[in-house]
Amino acid sequence: MFQKILIANRGEIAVRIIRACQELNIKTVAVYSTADKDALHMQLADEAVCVGPSKANESYLNIQNILSAAVLTGAEAIHPGFGFLSENSTFAAMCEEVNVSFIGPNKDIIDQMGNKSNARTMMKRANVPVVPGSDHSITAFSEVKEMVDEIGMPVIIKAVAGGGGKGMRMVFNAEELEAKFLQAQSESKAAFGDDRMYVERIITPAKHIEVQILADHYGNVIHLGERDCSLQRNHQKILEEAPSPTLSEKTRKLICESAVEAAKMVGYENAGTIEFLVDADEKFYFMEMNTRIQVEHPITEMITSIDIVKEQIKIAFGEHLSITQDDVVLTGHAIECRINAENPLFNFAPSPGNIDFLNVPSGGLGLRVDTAMFAGSTIPPYYDAMVAKVITHGNTREEAISKMDRALNEMVIEGIQTNLDFHIDLLRDTNFKTGEYTIDTLSQVIIPKWLKDKEANNEVV
Ligand code: MV4
């Protein structure tokens, strides 16, 4: 096994990865920015190297400094976590060039899945259903018009280099097609330096269902079931659950088997996630493939008892998968609430600052809290606002929800604003309780209703 791994990340995911390394008897190297000089991840690691100033561009995204830190400390592998350099194929290639294993798929797979139009083509080849739309990238508006005449309105214009909503526009009537296309294209050009676009029919209403995959270097691919990640606001997931509360057993089997086929077709390696849109008739369509560990991986760990980060490390070292598909048993139901440093009563504005008092709910069967917060710690303004993930597991969905309600009511975070109270109210919302929510429900139904209630109480800032 690796003797030493560098973790190229911060916050709760860096802590999560350090814990996996410690359990595998692997030494750890943390990297940190000056803003994180007292952060938990750097204190928990065996060694820590400062890789630059507060701004992520100069520290957590500083490839030269991070690779230097790995070489100088003798780390044999780098775990990139999520965000930052996790889906940067240049970084993955440079790691291998300095003889450091990148814990994730190789450069080519990252590139192939990072090109969203190419990913569509490859999925089609694997017989995975894709949304009707363009088969190649488009840079000229004339081609968009042709495409729309073929598939019909409404359509969604997406960036080939995109993902997660950037450079994306929904178009509901023909008059706004050109303007929306040009907006999406210039946004993509600015964000990714890439003006290639593609077009799909809009699937609505729909759920966002994603399947967790594990693949070793020898062609063995298994799935760990699905997650329902439909509750999102501005493409930020708020609450996720596994399994999906509404998916039929028949569709579950089909979608999970499709994901395995997809991973096999692209020669996938390591942990990955295949995202689907699922419509009201449970027809499902490939959306994107994520080539990294995801924020919401713990709910899958809770229902499978498989440590996905440990599996990532073992796969990267060249071990065979120790489990077969038949060994994967999905038990009970898990929910994750993302606790953010933000003020829901002030348009969810970020709320960085010092943690003056903290009570993390730590006890009870089926409860897990992943966080890098401690009393006296600081939430810097430079990075993501997510400060904790509260995860519960029960025999049934109802049990997982009541455990979550109990846990969130025990949790106290003073010094910053958080969305804790919003989460407690969300658990009692009827749209959540029935499980019948879609990707539009949070922003179009739940939040407006919640704000109306708060306004009635004069609580909105
Ligand atoms: C879609 C779609 C509807 N139809 N594609 C959002 C970000 C990127 N991953 C793709 N996205 C979408 N693609 C078709 N053909 C709706 C979305 C979408 C969405 C998807 C999942 C979760 C939340 C969302 C919010 C808005 C739009």
PDB file of all heavy atoms in Angstrom, residues 394-426:
ATOM      1  N   GLY A 394     -31.333   5.283   8.817  1.00  0.00           N
ATOM      2  CA  GLY A 394     -32.360   4.560   9.568  1.00  0.00           C
ATOM      3  C   GLY A 394     -32.807   3.338   8.795  1.00  0.00           C
ATOM      4  O   GLY A 394     -32.448   3.153   7.629  1.00  0.00           O
ATOM      5  N   ASN A 395     -33.600   2.508   9.450  1.00  0.00           N
ATOM      6  CA  ASN A 395     -34.139   1.329   8.760  1.00  0.00           C
ATOM      7  C   ASN A 395     -35.128   1.742   7.681  1.00  0.00           C
ATOM      8  O   ASN A 395     -35.288   1.051   6.673  1.00  0.00           O
ATOM      9  CB  ASN A 395     -34.806   0.392   9.751  1.00  0.00           C
ATOM     10  CG  ASN A 395     -33.792  -0.248  10.689  1.00  0.00           C
ATOM     11  OD1 ASN A 395     -32.775  -0.778  10.226  1.00  0.00           O
ATOM     12  ND2 ASN A 395     -34.039  -0.173  11.974  1.00  0.00           N
ATOM     13  N   THR A 396     -35.809   2.857   7.929  1.00  0.00           N
ATOM     14  CA  THR A 396     -36.764   3.379   6.954  1.00  0.00           C
ATOM     15  C   THR A 396     -36.449   4.854   6.714  1.00  0.00           C
ATOM     16  O   THR A 396     -35.684   5.463   7.470  1.00  0.00           O
ATOM     17  CB  THR A 396     -38.202   3.312   7.500  1.00  0.00           C
ATOM     18  OG1 THR A 396     -38.267   4.127   8.688  1.00  0.00           O
ATOM     19  CG2 THR A 396     -38.615   1.885   7.831  1.00  0.00           C
ATOM     20  N   ARG A 397     -37.068   5.437   5.671  1.00  0.00           N
ATOM     21  CA  ARG A 397     -36.900   6.860   5.396  1.00  0.00           C
ATOM     22  C   ARG A 397     -37.409   7.688   6.575  1.00  0.00           C
ATOM     23  O   ARG A 397     -36.776   8.659   6.986  1.00  0.00           O
ATOM     24  CB  ARG A 397     -37.654   7.223   4.115  1.00  0.00           C
ATOM     25  CG  ARG A 397     -37.510   8.673   3.723  1.00  0.00           C
ATOM     26  CD  ARG A 397     -38.056   8.942   2.330  1.00  0.00           C
ATOM     27  NE  ARG A 397     -37.723  10.285   1.882  1.00  0.00           N
ATOM     28  CZ  ARG A 397     -38.588  11.297   1.853  1.00  0.00           C
ATOM     29  NH1 ARG A 397     -39.847  11.127   2.214  1.00  0.00           N
ATOM     30  NH2 ARG A 397     -38.187  12.499   1.446  1.00  0.00           N
ATOM     31  N   GLU A 398     -38.539   7.297   7.121  1.00  0.00           N
ATOM     32  CA  GLU A 398     -39.126   8.039   8.245  1.00  0.00           C
ATOM     33  C   GLU A 398     -38.158   8.085   9.422  1.00  0.00           C
ATOM     34  O   GLU A 398     -38.016   9.109  10.089  1.00  0.00           O
ATOM     35  CB  GLU A 398     -40.464   7.410   8.680  1.00  0.00           C
ATOM     36  CG  GLU A 398     -41.605   7.587   7.689  1.00  0.00           C
ATOM     37  CD  GLU A 398     -41.373   6.881   6.346  1.00  0.00           C
ATOM     38  OE1 GLU A 398     -40.822   5.741   6.349  1.00  0.00           O
ATOM     39  OE2 GLU A 398     -41.701   7.456   5.293  1.00  0.00           O
ATOM     40  N   GLU A 399     -37.496   6.941   9.664  1.00  0.00           N
ATOM     41  CA  GLU A 399     -36.548   6.891  10.774  1.00  0.00           C
ATOM     42  C   GLU A 399     -35.343   7.800  10.504  1.00  0.00           C
ATOM     43  O   GLU A 399     -34.891   8.519  11.403  1.00  0.00           O
ATOM     44  CB  GLU A 399     -36.083   5.449  11.002  1.00  0.00           C
ATOM     45  CG  GLU A 399     -35.411   5.249  12.339  1.00  0.00           C
ATOM     46  CD  GLU A 399     -34.993   3.799  12.590  1.00  0.00           C
ATOM     47  OE1 GLU A 399     -34.586   3.097  11.637  1.00  0.00           O
ATOM     48  OE2 GLU A 399     -35.063   3.381  13.749  1.00  0.00           O
ATOM     49  N   ALA A 400     -34.839   7.780   9.270  1.00  0.00           N
ATOM     50  CA  ALA A 400     -33.703   8.659   8.922  1.00  0.00           C
ATOM     51  C   ALA A 400     -34.098  10.124   9.097  1.00  0.00           C
ATOM     52  O   ALA A 400     -33.295  10.933   9.574  1.00  0.00           O
ATOM     53  CB  ALA A 400     -33.253   8.384   7.484  1.00  0.00           C
ATOM     54  N   ILE A 401     -35.334  10.464   8.710  1.00  0.00           N
ATOM     55  CA  ILE A 401     -35.801  11.850   8.842  1.00  0.00           C
ATOM     56  C   ILE A 401     -35.920  12.241  10.317  1.00  0.00           C
ATOM     57  O   ILE A 401     -35.499  13.330  10.715  1.00  0.00           O
ATOM     58  CB  ILE A 401     -37.154  12.060   8.105  1.00  0.00           C
ATOM     59  CG1 ILE A 401     -36.968  11.889   6.592  1.00  0.00           C
ATOM     60  CG2 ILE A 401     -37.737  13.434   8.420  1.00  0.00           C
ATOM     61  CD1 ILE A 401     -38.278  11.880   5.791  1.00  0.00           C
ATOM     62  N   SER A 402     -36.490  11.354  11.144  1.00  0.00           N
ATOM     63  CA  SER A 402     -36.661  11.744  12.552  1.00  0.00           C
ATOM     64  C   SER A 402     -35.316  11.831  13.267  1.00  0.00           C
ATOM     65  O   SER A 402     -35.119  12.684  14.131  1.00  0.00           O
ATOM     66  CB  SER A 402     -37.651  10.836  13.282  1.00  0.00           C
ATOM     67  OG  SER A 402     -37.103   9.558  13.442  1.00  0.00           O
ATOM     68  N   LYS A 403     -34.367  10.990  12.871  1.00  0.00           N
ATOM     69  CA  LYS A 403     -33.006  11.114  13.429  1.00  0.00           C
ATOM     70  C   LYS A 403     -32.386  12.448  13.016  1.00  0.00           C
ATOM     71  O   LYS A 403     -31.687  13.101  13.807  1.00  0.00           O
ATOM     72  CB  LYS A 403     -32.114   9.966  12.931  1.00  0.00           C
ATOM     73  CG  LYS A 403     -32.321   8.637  13.656  1.00  0.00           C
ATOM     74  CD  LYS A 403     -31.518   7.542  12.963  1.00  0.00           C
ATOM     75  CE  LYS A 403     -31.800   6.167  13.527  1.00  0.00           C
ATOM     76  NZ  LYS A 403     -31.181   5.957  14.849  1.00  0.00           N
ATOM     77  N   MET A 404     -32.611  12.839  11.760  1.00  0.00           N
ATOM     78  CA  MET A 404     -32.057  14.104  11.265  1.00  0.00           C
ATOM     79  C   MET A 404     -32.667  15.282  12.029  1.00  0.00           C
ATOM     80  O   MET A 404     -31.956  16.209  12.448  1.00  0.00           O
ATOM     81  CB  MET A 404     -32.332  14.245   9.762  1.00  0.00           C
ATOM     82  CG  MET A 404     -31.734  15.490   9.138  1.00  0.00           C
ATOM     83  SD  MET A 404     -29.925  15.536   9.232  1.00  0.00           S
ATOM     84  CE  MET A 404     -29.500  14.404   7.907  1.00  0.00           C
ATOM     85  N   ASP A 405     -33.970  15.238  12.213  1.00  0.00           N
ATOM     86  CA  ASP A 405     -34.682  16.283  12.955  1.00  0.00           C
ATOM     87  C   ASP A 405     -34.074  16.410  14.357  1.00  0.00           C
ATOM     88  O   ASP A 405     -33.736  17.503  14.823  1.00  0.00           O
ATOM     89  CB  ASP A 405     -36.171  15.912  13.022  1.00  0.00           C
ATOM     90  CG  ASP A 405     -37.048  17.087  13.423  1.00  0.00           C
ATOM     91  OD1 ASP A 405     -36.497  18.169  13.728  1.00  0.00           O
ATOM     92  OD2 ASP A 405     -38.280  16.916  13.445  1.00  0.00           O
ATOM     93  N   ARG A 406     -33.900  15.271  15.008  1.00  0.00           N
ATOM     94  CA  ARG A 406     -33.304  15.240  16.351  1.00  0.00           C
ATOM     95  C   ARG A 406     -31.889  15.826  16.323  1.00  0.00           C
ATOM     96  O   ARG A 406     -31.538  16.688  17.129  1.00  0.00           O
ATOM     97  CB  ARG A 406     -33.304  13.782  16.840  1.00  0.00           C
ATOM     98  CG  ARG A 406     -32.838  13.567  18.265  1.00  0.00           C
ATOM     99  CD  ARG A 406     -31.349  13.366  18.407  1.00  0.00           C
ATOM    100  NE  ARG A 406     -30.865  12.088  17.905  1.00  0.00           N
ATOM    101  CZ  ARG A 406     -29.584  11.769  17.838  1.00  0.00           C
ATOM    102  NH1 ARG A 406     -28.659  12.640  18.210  1.00  0.00           N
ATOM    103  NH2 ARG A 406     -29.204  10.607  17.348  1.00  0.00           N
ATOM    104  N   ALA A 407     -31.071  15.379  15.368  1.00  0.00           N
ATOM    105  CA  ALA A 407     -29.668  15.820  15.305  1.00  0.00           C
ATOM    106  C   ALA A 407     -29.563  17.324  15.044  1.00  0.00           C
ATOM    107  O   ALA A 407     -28.782  18.025  15.700  1.00  0.00           O
ATOM    108  CB  ALA A 407     -28.924  15.039  14.217  1.00  0.00           C
ATOM    109  N   LEU A 408     -30.342  17.826  14.085  1.00  0.00           N
ATOM    110  CA  LEU A 408     -30.250  19.250  13.735  1.00  0.00           C
ATOM    111  C   LEU A 408     -30.710  20.125  14.892  1.00  0.00           C
ATOM    112  O   LEU A 408     -30.215  21.236  15.082  1.00  0.00           O
ATOM    113  CB  LEU A 408     -31.059  19.554  12.468  1.00  0.00           C
ATOM    114  CG  LEU A 408     -30.576  18.878  11.179  1.00  0.00           C
ATOM    115  CD1 LEU A 408     -31.419  19.334   9.987  1.00  0.00           C
ATOM    116  CD2 LEU A 408     -29.102  19.157  10.909  1.00  0.00           C
ATOM    117  N   ASN A 409     -31.669  19.609  15.667  1.00  0.00           N
ATOM    118  CA  ASN A 409     -32.133  20.382  16.829  1.00  0.00           C
ATOM    119  C   ASN A 409     -31.103  20.409  17.954  1.00  0.00           C
ATOM    120  O   ASN A 409     -31.131  21.308  18.791  1.00  0.00           O
ATOM    121  CB  ASN A 409     -33.484  19.874  17.317  1.00  0.00           C
ATOM    122  CG  ASN A 409     -34.624  20.485  16.511  1.00  0.00           C
ATOM    123  OD1 ASN A 409     -34.948  21.665  16.673  1.00  0.00           O
ATOM    124  ND2 ASN A 409     -35.197  19.724  15.592  1.00  0.00           N
ATOM    125  N   GLU A 410     -30.201  19.431  17.970  1.00  0.00           N
ATOM    126  CA  GLU A 410     -29.110  19.436  18.956  1.00  0.00           C
ATOM    127  C   GLU A 410     -27.969  20.345  18.531  1.00  0.00           C
ATOM    128  O   GLU A 410     -27.175  20.797  19.357  1.00  0.00           O
ATOM    129  CB  GLU A 410     -28.507  18.018  19.090  1.00  0.00           C
ATOM    130  CG  GLU A 410     -29.207  17.099  20.040  1.00  0.00           C
ATOM    131  CD  GLU A 410     -28.492  15.747  20.116  1.00  0.00           C
ATOM    132  OE1 GLU A 410     -27.239  15.719  20.098  1.00  0.00           O
ATOM    133  OE2 GLU A 410     -29.197  14.737  20.174  1.00  0.00           O
ATOM    134  N   MET A 411     -27.859  20.579  17.224  1.00  0.00           N
ATOM    135  CA  MET A 411     -26.690  21.288  16.711  1.00  0.00           C
ATOM    136  C   MET A 411     -26.776  22.789  17.017  1.00  0.00           C
ATOM    137  O   MET A 411     -27.821  23.409  16.821  1.00  0.00           O
ATOM    138  CB  MET A 411     -26.576  21.069  15.194  1.00  0.00           C
ATOM    139  CG  MET A 411     -25.260  21.506  14.602  1.00  0.00           C
ATOM    140  SD  MET A 411     -25.053  20.764  12.961  1.00  0.00           S
ATOM    141  CE  MET A 411     -23.306  21.047  12.696  1.00  0.00           C
ATOM    142  N   VAL A 412     -25.661  23.341  17.506  1.00  0.00           N
ATOM    143  CA  VAL A 412     -25.581  24.783  17.777  1.00  0.00           C
ATOM    144  C   VAL A 412     -24.317  25.329  17.126  1.00  0.00           C
ATOM    145  O   VAL A 412     -23.227  24.795  17.346  1.00  0.00           O
ATOM    146  CB  VAL A 412     -25.534  25.084  19.294  1.00  0.00           C
ATOM    147  CG1 VAL A 412     -25.505  26.601  19.536  1.00  0.00           C
ATOM    148  CG2 VAL A 412     -26.716  24.444  20.023  1.00  0.00           C
ATOM    149  N   ILE A 413     -24.465  26.335  16.274  1.00  0.00           N
ATOM    150  CA  ILE A 413     -23.310  27.000  15.663  1.00  0.00           C
ATOM    151  C   ILE A 413     -23.477  28.494  15.930  1.00  0.00           C
ATOM    152  O   ILE A 413     -24.420  29.104  15.428  1.00  0.00           O
ATOM    153  CB  ILE A 413     -23.241  26.754  14.139  1.00  0.00           C
ATOM    154  CG1 ILE A 413     -23.254  25.246  13.814  1.00  0.00           C
ATOM    155  CG2 ILE A 413     -21.991  27.415  13.550  1.00  0.00           C
ATOM    156  CD1 ILE A 413     -23.420  24.934  12.331  1.00  0.00           C
ATOM    157  N   GLU A 414     -22.597  29.070  16.740  1.00  0.00           N
ATOM    158  CA  GLU A 414     -22.693  30.507  17.030  1.00  0.00           C
ATOM    159  C   GLU A 414     -21.506  31.258  16.452  1.00  0.00           C
ATOM    160  O   GLU A 414     -20.388  30.743  16.425  1.00  0.00           O
ATOM    161  CB  GLU A 414     -22.810  30.742  18.545  1.00  0.00           C
ATOM    162  CG  GLU A 414     -24.208  30.410  19.040  1.00  0.00           C
ATOM    163  CD  GLU A 414     -24.384  30.558  20.542  1.00  0.00           C
ATOM    164  OE1 GLU A 414     -23.463  31.067  21.227  1.00  0.00           O
ATOM    165  OE2 GLU A 414     -25.443  30.146  21.030  1.00  0.00           O
ATOM    166  N   GLY A 415     -21.774  32.476  15.994  1.00  0.00           N
ATOM    167  CA  GLY A 415     -20.722  33.326  15.424  1.00  0.00           C
ATOM    168  C   GLY A 415     -20.943  33.602  13.949  1.00  0.00           C
ATOM    169  O   GLY A 415     -20.477  34.599  13.424  1.00  0.00           O
ATOM    170  N   ILE A 416     -21.643  32.687  13.283  1.00  0.00           N
ATOM    171  CA  ILE A 416     -21.972  32.866  11.859  1.00  0.00           C
ATOM    172  C   ILE A 416     -23.459  32.540  11.656  1.00  0.00           C
ATOM    173  O   ILE A 416     -24.076  31.912  12.515  1.00  0.00           O
ATOM    174  CB  ILE A 416     -21.124  31.937  10.942  1.00  0.00           C
ATOM    175  CG1 ILE A 416     -21.353  30.460  11.327  1.00  0.00           C
ATOM    176  CG2 ILE A 416     -19.642  32.298  10.992  1.00  0.00           C
ATOM    177  CD1 ILE A 416     -20.793  29.453  10.340  1.00  0.00           C
ATOM    178  N   GLN A 417     -24.011  32.980  10.543  1.00  0.00           N
ATOM    179  CA  GLN A 417     -25.370  32.571  10.162  1.00  0.00           C
ATOM    180  C   GLN A 417     -25.262  31.230   9.440  1.00  0.00           C
ATOM    181  O   GLN A 417     -24.301  30.998   8.713  1.00  0.00           O
ATOM    182  CB  GLN A 417     -25.990  33.594   9.203  1.00  0.00           C
ATOM    183  CG  GLN A 417     -26.062  35.002   9.748  1.00  0.00           C
ATOM    184  CD  GLN A 417     -27.132  35.147  10.805  1.00  0.00           C
ATOM    185  OE1 GLN A 417     -28.143  34.450  10.800  1.00  0.00           O
ATOM    186  NE2 GLN A 417     -26.886  36.050  11.744  1.00  0.00           N
ATOM    187  N   THR A 418     -26.259  30.373   9.637  1.00  0.00           N
ATOM    188  CA  THR A 418     -26.282  29.106   8.896  1.00  0.00           C
ATOM    189  C   THR A 418     -27.697  28.800   8.411  1.00  0.00           C
ATOM    190  O   THR A 418     -28.660  29.437   8.825  1.00  0.00           O
ATOM    191  CB  THR A 418     -25.811  27.906   9.755  1.00  0.00           C
ATOM    192  OG1 THR A 418     -26.840  27.587  10.691  1.00  0.00           O
ATOM    193  CG2 THR A 418     -24.499  28.183  10.456  1.00  0.00           C
ATOM    194  N   ASN A 419     -27.789  27.776   7.581  1.00  0.00           N
ATOM    195  CA  ASN A 419     -29.088  27.326   7.082  1.00  0.00           C
ATOM    196  C   ASN A 419     -29.681  26.197   7.934  1.00  0.00           C
ATOM    197  O   ASN A 419     -30.545  25.455   7.456  1.00  0.00           O
ATOM    198  CB  ASN A 419     -28.967  26.882   5.615  1.00  0.00           C
ATOM    199  CG  ASN A 419     -27.981  25.721   5.445  1.00  0.00           C
ATOM    200  OD1 ASN A 419     -27.287  25.344   6.375  1.00  0.00           O
ATOM    201  ND2 ASN A 419     -27.925  25.172   4.251  1.00  0.00           N
ATOM    202  N   LEU A 420     -29.235  26.067   9.187  1.00  0.00           N
ATOM    203  CA  LEU A 420     -29.703  25.010  10.078  1.00  0.00           C
ATOM    204  C   LEU A 420     -31.221  25.051  10.267  1.00  0.00           C
ATOM    205  O   LEU A 420     -31.904  24.026  10.122  1.00  0.00           O
ATOM    206  CB  LEU A 420     -28.973  25.169  11.420  1.00  0.00           C
ATOM    207  CG  LEU A 420     -28.786  24.009  12.365  1.00  0.00           C
ATOM    208  CD1 LEU A 420     -28.319  22.753  11.655  1.00  0.00           C
ATOM    209  CD2 LEU A 420     -27.769  24.410  13.446  1.00  0.00           C
ATOM    210  N   ASP A 421     -31.760  26.233  10.567  1.00  0.00           N
ATOM    211  CA  ASP A 421     -33.209  26.343  10.787  1.00  0.00           C
ATOM    212  C   ASP A 421     -33.986  26.062   9.503  1.00  0.00           C
ATOM    213  O   ASP A 421     -35.066  25.477   9.534  1.00  0.00           O
ATOM    214  CB  ASP A 421     -33.577  27.738  11.311  1.00  0.00           C
ATOM    215  CG  ASP A 421     -33.092  27.938  12.745  1.00  0.00           C
ATOM    216  OD1 ASP A 421     -32.778  26.917  13.404  1.00  0.00           O
ATOM    217  OD2 ASP A 421     -33.012  29.096  13.186  1.00  0.00           O
ATOM    218  N   PHE A 422     -33.405  26.465   8.373  1.00  0.00           N
ATOM    219  CA  PHE A 422     -34.050  26.176   7.089  1.00  0.00           C
ATOM    220  C   PHE A 422     -34.182  24.667   6.898  1.00  0.00           C
ATOM    221  O   PHE A 422     -35.235  24.165   6.484  1.00  0.00           O
ATOM    222  CB  PHE A 422     -33.259  26.793   5.930  1.00  0.00           C
ATOM    223  CG  PHE A 422     -33.813  26.435   4.580  1.00  0.00           C
ATOM    224  CD1 PHE A 422     -34.932  27.068   4.080  1.00  0.00           C
ATOM    225  CD2 PHE A 422     -33.225  25.425   3.820  1.00  0.00           C
ATOM    226  CE1 PHE A 422     -35.473  26.713   2.854  1.00  0.00           C
ATOM    227  CE2 PHE A 422     -33.754  25.055   2.593  1.00  0.00           C
ATOM    228  CZ  PHE A 422     -34.878  25.704   2.106  1.00  0.00           C
ATOM    229  N   HIS A 423     -33.120  23.934   7.229  1.00  0.00           N
ATOM    230  CA  HIS A 423     -33.130  22.476   7.101  1.00  0.00           C
ATOM    231  C   HIS A 423     -34.197  21.845   8.002  1.00  0.00           C
ATOM    232  O   HIS A 423     -34.888  20.907   7.586  1.00  0.00           O
ATOM    233  CB  HIS A 423     -31.756  21.897   7.444  1.00  0.00           C
ATOM    234  CG  HIS A 423     -30.860  21.766   6.261  1.00  0.00           C
ATOM    235  ND1 HIS A 423     -31.153  20.932   5.208  1.00  0.00           N
ATOM    236  CD2 HIS A 423     -29.694  22.365   5.945  1.00  0.00           C
ATOM    237  CE1 HIS A 423     -30.189  21.023   4.302  1.00  0.00           C
ATOM    238  NE2 HIS A 423     -29.293  21.891   4.721  1.00  0.00           N
ATOM    239  N   ILE A 424     -34.309  22.350   9.222  1.00  0.00           N
ATOM    240  CA  ILE A 424     -35.290  21.786  10.162  1.00  0.00           C
ATOM    241  C   ILE A 424     -36.704  21.963   9.592  1.00  0.00           C
ATOM    242  O   ILE A 424     -37.526  21.043   9.636  1.00  0.00           O
ATOM    243  CB  ILE A 424     -35.146  22.449  11.554  1.00  0.00           C
ATOM    244  CG1 ILE A 424     -33.810  22.005  12.189  1.00  0.00           C
ATOM    245  CG2 ILE A 424     -36.333  22.092  12.454  1.00  0.00           C
ATOM    246  CD1 ILE A 424     -33.410  22.779  13.438  1.00  0.00           C
ATOM    247  N   ASP A 425     -36.962  23.139   8.991  1.00  0.00           N
ATOM    248  CA  ASP A 425     -38.269  23.378   8.373  1.00  0.00           C
ATOM    249  C   ASP A 425     -38.458  22.512   7.119  1.00  0.00           C
ATOM    250  O   ASP A 425     -39.563  22.035   6.852  1.00  0.00           O
ATOM    251  CB  ASP A 425     -38.433  24.860   8.019  1.00  0.00           C
ATOM    252  CG  ASP A 425     -38.511  25.740   9.267  1.00  0.00           C
ATOM    253  OD1 ASP A 425     -38.824  25.200  10.349  1.00  0.00           O
ATOM    254  OD2 ASP A 425     -38.243  26.948   9.155  1.00  0.00           O
ATOM    255  N   LEU A 426     -37.382  22.326   6.359  1.00  0.00           N
ATOM    256  CA  LEU A 426     -37.448  21.523   5.132  1.00  0.00           C
ATOM    257  C   LEU A 426     -37.896  20.083   5.437  1.00  0.00           C
ATOM    258  O   LEU A 426     -38.694  19.496   4.700  1.00  0.00           O
ATOM    259  CB  LEU A 426     -36.075  21.535   4.442  1.00  0.00           C
ATOM    260  CG  LEU A 426     -35.867  20.656   3.198  1.00  0.00           C
ATOM    261  CD1 LEU A 426     -36.874  21.002   2.102  1.00  0.00           C
ATOM    262  CD2 LEU A 426     -34.443  20.831   2.659  1.00  0.00           C
TER     263      LEU A 426
END
